[in-house]
Amino acid sequence: MEREVTDILESYVRDAWWAPDAGASSVAVLDASTGEVVTHVSTSGIDLAGALDHARTVGQASLGALTFHQRALLLKEFAVALTARKEELYELSKRAGATVRDSLNDVDGGIGVLFTYASKGRRELPNAQVYLDGPVEPLAKDGSFLGRHVYSRLPGVAVQINAFNFPMWGALEKFAPAFLAGVPSLVKPATPTAYIAEAWVRILVKTGRLPAGSLQLVSGPVPGLFDHLGLGDLVGFTGSASTAAGLREQAAPGVRFTSETDSINASVLGPDALPGTPEFDAYIKQLLVELTTKAGQKCTAIRRAIVPSAAVDAVVDALRGKIAERVVVGDPHAEGVTMGPLVSREQRDEVLRAVAALQESGGRVVVGSTDAPDVLRADGTTGPAPDGAFVAPMVLAFDGDAAALPDAVHDVEAFGPVASLLPYRSVDEAADLVGRGGGSLVTSVATADPSVAATLLARTAAYNGRLLFLDRDDAPTSTGHGAPVPHLVHGGPGRAGGGEELGGIRAVLHHMQRTAVQGSPAMLTALTGVWHQGAASRSDKHPFRKPLAELRIGDQFASPLRAVTLDDIETFAHFTGDLFYAHMDEEAAAANPFFPGRVAHGYLLVSWAAGLFVDPAPGPVLANYGLENLRFVTPVSPGDEVRVVLTAKQITPRETDEYGEVRWDAVLLNQRDEIVATYDVLTLVAKTWDEVDAGRPASRPSEAAEVGA
Ligand code: NAP
């Protein structure tokens, strides 16, 4: 790194780097391979109450001045800054035992989370500060009283307590949604890898783009922190179930406490996935990856391999072969090492204790050994490394009836390169075994048989946050059993912590309060920035002639009526080839319960609506990129007439372009003013437009890909 890790790791509080006074008591953090001191951790004398106060005042204010899109763009800048320096982060992570391949999960995974939220934030959230949830609920017959749900950000601090195994990804998967929601973060990394968290925070600080108070880092213990938390604050904990249980009790009522804890995840080899099938090969490959990536220190790693009894020997043989062929245990600084040490010698001892407990309950070590392995050292020599935290990958086999297997296999988490092998005789038995984990983050199933998959889905989904079905088609592209993706739920029921708040926009909404808001159309329009049916409208000039600088929600165009003839219907039918009987056969159409006789095509009406509302000359409306929520309500017969009312409903200027999105409320009516169809028209509109020159927008949309983005 640009800055060497120093004697005492600094914290970042109140927008400044902070270190305890010299001589403060501290904890040494050691290199996982060599036992050398990397740094010391201490927060002796830190003002945690002041840090929380800073977040609630300065952090809330600076984030509150930004829209979702502006925050999303900052996340992208952070991702770019980290990408530029990821090699340094890889190097630093080696000291914690991570190989470069491991860092692809942690460092690149963390950066990927930022990019994903940067993109999702701009695609799935409005360029605003509140988020509207679900449709409008009409609450009075005449439309004068409406209700809808509005999400607004929590007023407090997101305290993020992270586990040691993913100092970047694990932290950023919480920071990104909190930031996007507009809630300041106080990050508390785990001691053994706190120096990696300090490094990424330092890179973000260096960008000069962190809004004041939006991110603070406490590099060490946080005694008394919970005493200062209350309504409006959140705690997002990742770590062991026992720590979670203790902290949950300390959280005051009103504090949103969520936990992602340990999990005895399962991976089922389907009865059809016998040796020789692509599913068997994919299963073995995945088992190897899960055993050895991060030396098995992944909350999502496979702890229980559940396989047909007849396939147990084949699985053991195949895995042994793969380990012999592929796995080189050693110091990640040495060329060729594929599996590093555990994070610390304490963690190694913990894992060996867990293995001993599994052995006592009947497990036989059938792959690997509990002996300290010879390892490849940084200097290229091979031999013992007593100061390092090395263990060999291990599999313990359990025999006997599935129902009689000891509780320990479903209960004891050996947080290292260790898995148990459990035999089953029927798919139902396999499902029972999965469920005995008491709630897991993930279960994977290798099968090409949809009936096996359907049974396991029905029987085990309630016990899992995520299910991965692996077959020959998705095996090459699957993101893998152990890799949560920022788009999908990360968390799990029961023992896994009960969380499902991480992953996708739901993670952002978790940092916000959903409130039902009731009022008149005019009031809801004013409060939400989205036009509601029944609110005032304005028809001074065709809205297609207005650039974003001029366009306001409520700007409206109402067309004249247009007659519908049988000739029109026939022409459209033959032109498009849509000769469906409801348009072409009077008798058959009349026999249909929904139509009085031949009716106009819905798509003809929508096309006519466009013809009725467009203003055709070049203008600020650049493109139509879709329709949403289209509903045909009343059939239209020859002899009827139709007209359209188009109203600007929501205006979302893009931060980085000279145009933005406009959502139009479209209502198609007949001559009796009955609603024929309703939908939203989605367009891109220039921010400025020079009518005199029939000029072009200041900058044209550069990429076709941006349309519809
Ligand atoms: P841990 O010992 O429970 O520690 C987790 C975090 O809690 C650390 O930052 C730790 O800080 C902090 N902590 C401990 N006592 C605290 C207290 N009294 N007040 C405030 N913070 C406190 O877990 P770990 O050893 O770091 O991580 C390994 C475990 O995490 C495994 O069981 C693994 O399954 C689980 N895990 C789960 C997930 C998931 O998403 N479900 C992800 C990763 C890991 P110190 O280090 O400074 O004590």
Side-chain angles (χ1 to χ4, degrees), residues 41 161-166 169 173 188-192 220-223 225-226 237-244 247 250 259-263 297-300 303 347 413 415 441 490-491 496 502:
V41 160
I161 303 178
N162 300 318
F164 70 78
N165 53 344
F166 285 108
W169 168 78
E173 75 158 347
K188 187 249 170 288
T191 295
V222 286
L225 178 74
F226 279 51
F237 172 85
T238 306
S240 57
S242 55
T243 313
L247 291 180
Q250 290 179 37
S259 62
E260 313 298 329
T261 56
D262 47 53
S263 165
Q297 299 165 109
K298 285 197 311 182
C299 52
T300 48
R303 302 288 169 216
Q347 198 58 32
E413 184 195 41
F415 200 60
L441 294 169
H490 174 54
L502 297 176

Side-chain angles (χ1 to χ4, degrees), residues 226-234 247-257:
F226 279 51
D227 299 344
H228 305 290
L229 299 181
L231 183 64
D233 296 324
L234 312 95
L247 291 180
R248 192 184 285 275
E249 276 184 13
Q250 290 179 37
V255 175
R256 279 191 194 173
F257 185 96

Side-chain angles (χ1 to χ4, degrees), residues 83-355:
T83 304
R85 296 181 60 183
K86 66 182 183 183
E87 299 290 337
E88 302 166 42
L89 293 161
Y90 293 170
E91 271 316 295
L92 198 60
S93 302
K94 287 180 182 171
R95 305 213 69 180
T99 62
V100 170
R101 196 189 59 159
D102 293 337
S103 286
L104 295 182
N105 288 266
D106 190 34
V107 176
D108 292 70
I111 294 170
V113 166
L114 293 181
F115 275 125
T116 301
Y117 276 101
S119 160
K120 278 187 159 297
R122 283 174 298 146
R123 283 162 200 259
E124 297 175 39
L125 297 173
N127 195 7
Q129 286 162 331
V130 295
Y131 175 79
L132 299 179
D133 178 48
V136 179
E137 299 291 344
L139 299 173
K141 275 201 174 140
D142 67 355
S144 63
F145 186 51
L146 309 174
R148 72 183 308 175
H149 293 97
V150 174
Y151 275 97
S152 46
R153 71 195 172 120
L154 293 181
V157 188
V159 173
Q160 295 151 10
I161 303 178
N162 300 318
F164 70 78
N165 53 344
F166 285 108
M168 257 188 85
W169 168 78
L172 291 172
E173 75 158 347
K174 293 177 189 166
F175 168 72
F179 187 89
L180 199 47
V183 177
S185 297
L186 187 142
V187 177
K188 187 249 170 288
T191 295
T193 50
Y195 55 93
I196 300 166
E198 191 260 8
W200 71 254
V201 170
R202 203 168 273 282
I203 293 172
L204 296 202
V205 171
K206 205 78 200 268
T207 63
R209 301 284 291 152
L210 270 177
S214 61
L215 172 62
Q216 299 185 79
L217 173 78
V218 178
S219 301
V222 286
L225 178 74
F226 279 51
D227 299 344
H228 305 290
L229 299 181
L231 183 64
D233 296 324
L234 312 95
V235 175
F237 172 85
T238 306
S240 57
S242 55
T243 313
L247 291 180
R248 192 184 285 275
E249 276 184 13
Q250 290 179 37
V255 175
R256 279 191 194 173
F257 185 96
T258 51
S259 62
E260 313 298 329
T261 56
D262 47 53
S263 165
I264 312 298
N265 311 294
S267 185
V268 179
L269 180 68
D272 56 304
L274 297 173
T277 63
E279 286 73 27
F280 181 85
D281 295 342
Y283 185 83
I284 297 296
K285 190 173 165 202
Q286 176 173 271
L287 206 47
L288 179 79
V289 167
E290 294 304 316
L291 267 180
T292 57
T293 305
K294 302 256 348 162
Q297 299 165 109
K298 285 197 311 182
C299 52
T300 48
I302 297 169
R303 302 288 169 216
R304 296 173 299 154
I306 299 175
V307 308
S309 12
V312 168
D313 290 344
V315 168
V316 170
D317 286 349
L319 196 59
R320 268 196 204 128
K322 284 271 182 229
I323 289 175
E325 190 188 312
R326 301 263 171 94
V327 179
V328 178
V329 179
D331 185 328
H333 291 94
E335 192 73 29
V337 163
T338 61
M339 188 180 107
L342 300 182
V343 75
S344 65
R345 294 200 298 263
E346 292 74 27
Q347 198 58 32
R348 178 200 58 194
D349 296 346
E350 190 76 36
V351 166
L352 292 175
R353 269 196 295 277
V355 171

Side-chain angles (χ1 to χ4, degrees), residues 490-555:
H490 174 54
R495 171 177 184 144
E500 54 164 4
E501 296 77 17
L502 297 176
I505 291 301
R506 81 179 60 72
V508 179
L509 300 182
H510 171 65
H511 294 82
M512 306 182 83
Q513 177 66 40
R514 179 168 49 186
T515 306
V517 177
Q518 297 171 292
S520 65
M523 188 57 81
L524 286 192
T525 296
L527 293 176
T528 60
V530 174
W531 185 80
H532 286 71
Q533 193 66 248
S537 58
R538 185 168 70 143
S539 304
D540 53 337
K541 172 176 168 186
H542 195 294
F544 272 33
R545 302 251 51 95
K546 297 182 182 181
L548 291 194
E550 202 183 325
L551 189 70
R552 297 288 171 269
I553 57 167
D555 280 353

